[in-house]
Amino acid sequence: MKIRPLGDRVIVKRMEAETKTASGIIIPDAATEKPDQGVVVAVGNGKMGDDGKLRPMNVKVGDKVMFAKTYGQDFKMDGVELLQMREEDIIGVIEA
């Protein structure tokens, strides 16, 4: 898979949804929510500022990020479900 997002767009692969609670109860597929975390798989060049200068991206490929569940647009590429969003839609980078 090869994709290069434009501008300040980011391509994220959602993390797998939890199928079991901490106490061991199995959650059926119909009841699971889409995760609000993922891994960045591609980033654009950055956003052009009002001064005409390119502002570099704050995230990079491989970063584990958190985002709001209502942002972004889902699409499929090579059988993999991905999410496209703007960098400003990312809440933050999850650090170990």
Side-chain angles (χ1 to χ4, degrees), residues 50-93:
D50 293 335
D51 58 359
K53 294 182 181 176
L54 188 66
R55 185 180 58 88
M57 301 290 276
N58 290 316
V59 295
K60 62 185 181 307
V61 174
D63 281 350
K64 186 176 174 183
V65 295
M66 179 177 251
F67 48 88
K69 292 180 183 186
T70 57
Y71 287 107
Q73 181 172 351
D74 292 319
F75 70 97
K76 217 174 214 185
M77 185 172 198
D78 294 338
V80 178
E81 285 193 31
L82 299 169
L83 183 66
Q84 173 267 300
M85 65 181 65
R86 293 194 178 273
E87 182 183 35
E88 63 192 29
D89 296 335
I90 295 173
I91 296 169
V93 177

Side-chain angles (χ1 to χ4, degrees), residues 18-19 26-34:
E18 293 292 326
T19 57
I26 297 175
I27 303 169
D29 288 339
T32 59
E33 293 183 10
K34 288 188 175 182

Side-chain angles (χ1 to χ4, degrees), residues 6-27:
L6 301 177
D8 65 336
R9 288 185 166 76
V10 178
I11 307 296
V12 176
K13 181 179 177 190
R14 284 187 196 262
M15 300 191 68
E16 296 295 321
E18 293 292 326
T19 57
K20 198 185 322 183
T21 64
S23 60
I25 298 171
I26 297 175
I27 303 169

